Coordinates of all heavy atoms in Angstrom, one line a residue:
L662 N 80.6 119.3 62.0 CA 81.7 119.8 63.0 C 82.4 118.7 63.6 O 81.9 117.6 63.8 CB 81.0 120.7 64.1 CG 80.3 122.0 63.6 CD1 79.6 122.6 64.8 CD2 81.3 123.0 63.1
A663 N 83.7 118.9 63.9 CA 84.6 117.9 64.5 C 85.4 118.5 65.6 O 85.9 119.7 65.5 CB 85.4 117.3 63.4
A664 N 85.6 117.8 66.7 CA 86.5 118.2 67.8 C 87.8 117.4 67.8 O 88.8 117.8 68.3 CB 85.8 118.1 69.1
I665 N 87.7 116.2 67.2 CA 89.0 115.4 67.0 C 88.8 114.7 65.6 O 87.8 114.1 65.4 CB 89.2 114.3 68.1 CG1 89.3 115.0 69.5 CG2 90.4 113.5 67.8 CD1 89.6 113.9 70.6
F666 N 89.8 114.9 64.8 CA 89.7 114.3 63.4 C 91.2 114.1 62.9 O 92.1 114.6 63.4 CB 88.9 115.2 62.5 CG 89.5 116.6 62.3 CD1 90.3 116.9 61.2 CD2 89.1 117.6 63.1 CE1 90.8 118.2 61.0 CE2 89.6 118.9 62.9 CZ 90.5 119.2 61.9
E667 N 91.2 113.3 61.8 CA 92.5 112.9 61.3 C 92.3 112.7 59.8 O 91.3 112.3 59.3 CB 93.1 111.7 61.9 CG 92.2 110.4 61.7 CD 92.7 109.2 62.5 OE1 93.8 109.4 63.2 OE2 92.1 108.2 62.4
F668 N 93.4 113.0 59.0 CA 93.4 112.8 57.5 C 94.8 112.5 57.1 O 95.8 112.9 57.7 CB 93.0 114.1 56.8 CG 91.5 114.4 56.9 CD1 91.1 115.6 57.6 CD2 90.5 113.6 56.3 CE1 89.7 115.9 57.7 CE2 89.2 113.9 56.4 CZ 88.8 115.0 57.1
C669 N 94.9 111.8 56.0 CA 96.1 111.8 55.2 C 96.2 113.0 54.2 O 95.2 113.2 53.6 CB 96.2 110.5 54.4 SG 96.5 109.0 55.4
V670 N 97.3 113.6 54.2 CA 97.5 114.8 53.3 C 98.8 114.6 52.6 O 99.9 114.6 53.4 CB 97.3 116.1 54.0 CG1 97.4 117.3 53.0 CG2 96.1 116.2 54.8
G671 N 98.9 114.6 51.3 CA 100.2 114.4 50.6 C 100.8 113.1 51.1 O 100.1 112.0 51.1
R672 N 102.0 113.1 51.5 CA 102.7 111.9 52.0 C 102.6 111.8 53.5 O 103.1 110.9 54.1 CB 104.2 112.0 51.6 CG 104.4 111.9 50.1 CD 105.8 112.3 49.7 NE 106.8 111.5 50.4 CZ 108.0 111.9 50.7 NH1 108.4 113.1 50.2 NH2 108.9 111.2 51.3
G673 N 102.0 112.8 54.2 CA 102.0 112.9 55.6 C 100.6 112.6 56.2 O 99.6 112.3 55.5
R674 N 100.6 112.7 57.5 CA 99.3 112.5 58.3 C 99.0 113.7 59.2 O 100.0 114.2 59.8 CB 99.5 111.2 59.1 CG 99.7 109.9 58.3 CD 100.0 108.7 59.2 NE 101.2 108.9 60.0 CZ 101.7 107.9 60.8 NH1 101.1 106.8 61.0 NH2 102.8 108.2 61.5
L675 N 97.8 114.0 59.3 CA 97.3 115.1 60.1 C 96.4 114.6 61.2 O 95.4 113.9 61.0 CB 96.6 116.1 59.2 CG 95.8 117.3 59.9 CD1 96.8 118.2 60.6 CD2 94.9 118.0 58.9
F676 N 96.7 115.1 62.4 CA 95.8 114.8 63.6 C 95.5 116.1 64.3 O 96.4 116.8 64.6 CB 96.4 113.8 64.6 CG 95.5 113.4 65.7 CD1 94.8 112.2 65.6 CD2 95.4 114.2 66.8 CE1 93.9 111.8 66.6 CE2 94.5 113.8 67.9 CZ 93.8 112.6 67.8
V677 N 94.2 116.3 64.6 CA 93.8 117.6 65.2 C 92.8 117.3 66.3 O 91.9 116.6 66.2 CB 93.1 118.5 64.2 CG1 92.7 119.8 64.8 CG2 94.0 118.8 63.0
C678 N 93.1 117.9 67.5 CA 92.2 117.9 68.7 C 92.0 119.3 69.1 O 92.9 120.0 69.5 CB 92.9 117.1 69.8 SG 91.9 117.2 71.4
T679 N 90.7 119.7 69.0 CA 90.4 121.1 69.4 C 89.7 121.2 70.7 O 89.1 122.3 71.1 CB 89.5 121.7 68.3 OG1 88.3 120.9 68.1 CG2 90.2 121.8 67.0
L680 N 89.6 120.1 71.5 CA 89.2 120.2 72.9 C 90.2 121.0 73.7 O 91.4 121.1 73.4 CB 89.0 118.8 73.5 CG 88.0 117.9 72.8 CD1 88.0 116.5 73.3 CD2 86.5 118.5 72.9
D681 N 89.7 121.6 74.8 CA 90.6 122.3 75.7 C 91.2 121.3 76.7 O 90.5 121.0 77.7 CB 89.9 123.5 76.4 CG 90.8 124.4 77.1 OD1 92.0 124.1 77.1 OD2 90.3 125.3 77.8
L682 N 92.4 120.8 76.5 CA 92.9 119.8 77.4 C 93.7 120.5 78.5 O 94.9 120.6 78.5 CB 93.8 118.9 76.6 CG 93.1 118.1 75.4 CD1 94.1 117.2 74.7 CD2 91.9 117.5 75.9
K683 N 92.9 120.9 79.5 CA 93.5 121.6 80.7 C 94.4 120.7 81.5 O 94.0 119.6 81.8 CB 92.4 122.2 81.5 CG 91.4 123.1 80.7 CD 90.2 123.5 81.6 CE 89.3 124.5 80.9 NZ 88.5 123.8 79.8
E684 N 95.5 121.3 82.0 CA 96.4 120.5 82.8 C 95.8 120.1 84.2 O 96.2 119.2 84.8 CB 97.7 121.3 83.0 CG 98.7 121.1 81.9 CD 99.1 119.7 81.6 OE1 99.4 119.0 82.6 OE2 99.0 119.3 80.5
N685 N 94.8 120.9 84.7 CA 94.3 120.7 86.0 C 93.1 119.7 86.0 O 92.5 119.4 87.0 CB 93.8 122.0 86.7 CG 92.7 122.7 85.9 OD1 92.4 122.2 84.8 ND2 92.2 123.7 86.5
D686 N 92.9 119.1 84.8 CA 91.8 118.1 84.7 C 92.4 116.7 84.4 O 93.1 116.6 83.4 CB 90.8 118.5 83.6 CG 89.7 117.5 83.5 OD1 88.7 117.6 84.3 OD2 89.7 116.6 82.6
A687 N 92.2 115.8 85.3 CA 92.8 114.4 85.1 C 92.4 113.8 83.8 O 93.3 113.1 83.2 CB 92.4 113.6 86.3
G688 N 91.2 113.9 83.4 CA 90.8 113.3 82.2 C 91.4 113.9 81.0 O 91.8 113.2 80.0
A689 N 91.6 115.3 81.0 CA 92.3 115.9 79.9 C 93.7 115.6 79.8 O 94.3 115.4 78.7 CB 92.1 117.5 80.0
R690 N 94.4 115.5 81.0 CA 95.8 115.1 81.0 C 96.0 113.7 80.4 O 96.9 113.4 79.6 CB 96.4 115.1 82.4 CG 96.6 116.5 83.0 CD 97.5 116.4 84.2 NE 97.1 115.5 85.2 CZ 96.3 115.8 86.2 NH1 95.7 117.0 86.3 NH2 96.0 114.8 87.1
W691 N 95.0 112.8 80.8 CA 95.1 111.4 80.2 C 94.9 111.4 78.7 O 95.6 110.7 78.0 CB 94.1 110.5 80.9 CG 94.1 109.1 80.3 CD1 94.8 108.1 80.7 CD2 93.2 108.7 79.3 NE1 94.6 107.0 79.9 CE2 93.6 107.3 79.0 CE3 92.2 109.3 78.5 CZ2 92.9 106.6 78.0 CZ3 91.6 108.5 77.5 CH2 92.0 107.2 77.3
L692 N 93.9 112.2 78.3 CA 93.6 112.2 76.8 C 94.7 112.7 76.0 O 95.1 112.2 74.9 CB 92.3 113.0 76.6 CG 91.9 113.0 75.1 CD1 91.7 111.6 74.5 CD2 90.6 113.8 75.0
K693 N 95.4 113.8 76.5 CA 96.5 114.3 75.8 C 97.6 113.3 75.7 O 98.2 113.1 74.6 CB 97.1 115.6 76.5 CG 98.2 116.2 75.7 CD 98.8 117.4 76.5 CE 97.8 118.6 76.4 NZ 98.4 119.8 77.1
N694 N 97.9 112.6 76.8 CA 98.9 111.5 76.8 C 98.5 110.4 75.8 O 99.3 109.9 75.1 CB 99.1 111.0 78.2 CG 100.3 110.1 78.4 OD1 101.4 110.5 78.4 ND2 100.0 108.8 78.4
R695 N 97.2 110.1 75.8 CA 96.7 109.0 75.0 C 96.9 109.3 73.5 O 97.3 108.5 72.7 CB 95.3 108.7 75.3 CG 94.6 107.7 74.4 CD 95.0 106.3 74.7 NE 94.3 105.3 73.9 CZ 94.5 104.0 73.9 NH1 95.6 103.5 74.5 NH2 93.8 103.2 73.1
I696 N 96.6 110.6 73.2 CA 96.8 111.0 71.8 C 98.2 110.9 71.3 O 98.5 110.4 70.2 CB 96.3 112.5 71.6 CG1 94.7 112.5 71.8 CG2 96.7 113.1 70.3 CD1 94.2 114.0 71.8
L697 N 99.1 111.3 72.2 CA 100.5 111.3 71.8 C 101.0 109.8 71.7 O 101.8 109.5 70.8 CB 101.4 112.0 72.9 CG 101.1 113.5 72.9 CD1 101.9 114.2 74.1 CD2 101.6 114.2 71.6
E698 N 100.5 108.9 72.5 CA 100.8 107.5 72.3 C 100.3 107.0 71.0 O 100.9 106.3 70.3 CB 100.2 106.7 73.5 CG 100.9 106.9 74.8 CD 100.3 106.0 75.9 OE1 99.1 105.5 75.7 OE2 100.9 105.8 77.0
Y699 N 99.0 107.4 70.7 CA 98.4 106.9 69.5 C 99.1 107.3 68.2 O 99.3 106.5 67.3 CB 96.9 107.4 69.5 CG 96.2 107.3 68.2 CD1 95.8 106.0 67.7 CD2 96.0 108.4 67.4 CE1 95.2 105.9 66.4 CE2 95.3 108.3 66.2 CZ 95.0 107.1 65.7 OH 94.4 107.0 64.5
V700 N 99.4 108.6 68.1 CA 100.0 109.1 66.9 C 101.4 108.6 66.7 O 102.0 108.7 65.6 CB 100.0 110.7 66.8 CG1 98.6 111.2 66.8 CG2 100.9 111.2 68.0
R701 N 102.0 108.0 67.7 CA 103.3 107.4 67.6 C 103.2 105.9 67.4 O 104.3 105.2 67.4 CB 104.2 107.7 68.8 CG 104.6 109.2 68.9 CD 105.1 109.5 70.3 NE 105.4 111.0 70.4 CZ 105.6 111.6 71.5 NH1 105.5 111.0 72.7 NH2 105.9 112.9 71.5
S702 N 102.0 105.4 67.3 CA 101.8 103.9 67.2 C 101.4 103.5 65.8 O 101.1 104.4 65.0 CB 100.7 103.5 68.2 OG 99.4 103.9 67.7
D703 N 101.4 102.2 65.6 CA 101.0 101.7 64.3 C 99.5 101.9 64.0 O 99.1 101.7 62.9 CB 101.4 100.2 64.2 CG 102.9 100.0 64.1 OD1 103.6 100.9 63.8 OD2 103.3 98.9 64.5
A704 N 98.7 102.2 65.1 CA 97.3 102.3 64.9 C 96.9 103.6 64.2 O 95.8 103.8 63.7 CB 96.6 102.3 66.3
F705 N 97.9 104.6 64.2 CA 97.6 105.9 63.5 C 97.6 105.7 62.0 O 98.6 105.8 61.3 CB 98.7 106.9 64.0 CG 98.4 108.3 63.4 CD1 97.2 108.8 63.1 CD2 99.5 109.1 63.3 CE1 97.0 110.0 62.6 CE2 99.4 110.4 62.8 CZ 98.1 110.9 62.4
R706 N 96.4 105.4 61.5 CA 96.3 105.1 60.0 C 95.0 105.8 59.6 O 93.9 105.2 59.5 CB 96.2 103.6 59.7 CG 97.5 102.9 60.1 CD 97.3 101.4 59.9 NE 98.5 100.6 60.2 CZ 98.6 99.3 60.2 NH1 97.5 98.6 59.8 NH2 99.7 98.7 60.5
P707 N 95.0 107.1 59.3 CA 93.8 107.8 58.9 C 93.2 107.1 57.7 O 93.9 106.7 56.7 CB 94.3 109.2 58.6 CG 95.5 109.4 59.4 CD 96.2 108.0 59.4
K708 N 91.8 106.9 57.7 CA 91.2 106.2 56.6 C 90.9 107.1 55.4 O 90.6 106.6 54.3 CB 89.9 105.6 57.2 CG 90.0 104.5 58.2 CD 88.7 103.9 58.6 CE 88.9 102.8 59.6 NZ 87.6 102.2 60.1
H709 N 90.9 108.4 55.7 CA 90.4 109.3 54.6 C 91.6 110.2 54.2 O 92.4 110.6 55.1 CB 89.2 110.1 55.0 CG 88.0 109.2 55.3 ND1 87.2 108.6 54.3 CD2 87.5 108.8 56.5 CE1 86.3 107.9 54.8 NE2 86.4 108.0 56.1
R710 N 91.6 110.6 52.9 CA 92.6 111.5 52.4 C 91.9 112.7 51.9 O 90.9 112.7 51.3 CB 93.4 110.8 51.3 CG 94.4 111.6 50.5 CD 95.2 110.8 49.5 NE 96.0 109.8 50.2 CZ 97.2 110.0 50.7 NH1 97.7 111.2 50.6 NH2 97.8 109.0 51.3
I711 N 92.6 113.9 52.1 CA 92.2 115.1 51.5 C 93.3 115.8 50.7 O 94.5 115.5 51.0 CB 91.6 116.1 52.5 CG1 92.6 116.5 53.5 CG2 90.3 115.5 53.2 CD1 92.2 117.6 54.5
T712 N 93.0 116.6 49.8 CA 94.0 117.3 49.0 C 94.5 118.6 49.7 O 93.9 119.0 50.7 CB 93.5 117.7 47.6 OG1 92.4 118.7 47.8 CG2 92.9 116.5 46.9
E713 N 95.6 119.1 49.2 CA 96.1 120.4 49.8 C 95.1 121.5 49.6 O 94.9 122.3 50.5 CB 97.4 120.8 49.1 CG 98.6 119.8 49.4 CD 99.9 120.4 48.9 OE1 100.0 121.5 48.5 OE2 100.9 119.6 48.9
E714 N 94.4 121.5 48.5 CA 93.4 122.5 48.3 C 92.2 122.4 49.3 O 91.7 123.4 49.8 CB 92.8 122.4 46.8 CG 93.8 122.8 45.7 CD 94.9 121.8 45.5 OE1 94.7 120.6 45.9 OE2 96.0 122.1 45.0
Q715 N 91.8 121.2 49.6 CA 90.8 120.9 50.5 C 91.2 121.4 51.9 O 90.5 122.0 52.7 CB 90.4 119.5 50.6 CG 89.5 119.0 49.4 CD 89.3 117.6 49.4 OE1 90.2 116.7 49.6 NE2 88.0 117.2 49.1
L716 N 92.5 121.1 52.3 CA 93.0 121.5 53.6 C 93.0 123.1 53.7 O 92.6 123.6 54.7 CB 94.4 121.0 53.8 CG 95.1 121.4 55.1 CD1 94.3 120.9 56.3 CD2 96.5 120.8 55.2
R717 N 93.5 123.7 52.6 CA 93.4 125.2 52.6 C 92.0 125.7 52.8 O 91.8 126.7 53.5 CB 94.1 125.8 51.4 CG 95.6 125.6 51.3 CD 96.1 126.4 50.1 NE 97.5 126.2 49.9 CZ 98.4 126.9 50.6 NH1 98.0 127.9 51.4 NH2 99.7 126.7 50.4
A718 N 91.1 125.1 52.2 CA 89.7 125.5 52.3 C 89.1 125.4 53.7 O 88.2 126.1 54.1 CB 88.8 124.8 51.3

Side-chain angles (χ1 to χ4, degrees):
L662 296 171
I665 299 182
F666 60 94
E667 61 185 2
F668 288 113
C669 290
V670 185
R672 296 166 53 206
R674 299 174 297 183
L675 170 69
F676 184 96
V677 180
C678 174
T679 58
L680 298 172
D681 187 2
L682 302 184
K683 302 175 178 70
E684 277 301 313
N685 62 355
D686 182 80
R690 289 198 306 272
W691 175 86
L692 181 56
K693 182 183 288 187
N694 190 77
R695 175 72 175 173
I696 289 171
L697 293 174
E698 287 180 346
Y699 165 71
V700 297
R701 292 166 182 165
S702 73
D703 292 338
F705 183 28
R706 297 176 181 175
K708 293 182 179 180
H709 298 282
R710 175 176 295 277
I711 62 174
T712 66
E713 291 188 12
E714 291 72 20
Q715 287 175 312
L716 180 60
R717 285 188 183 278

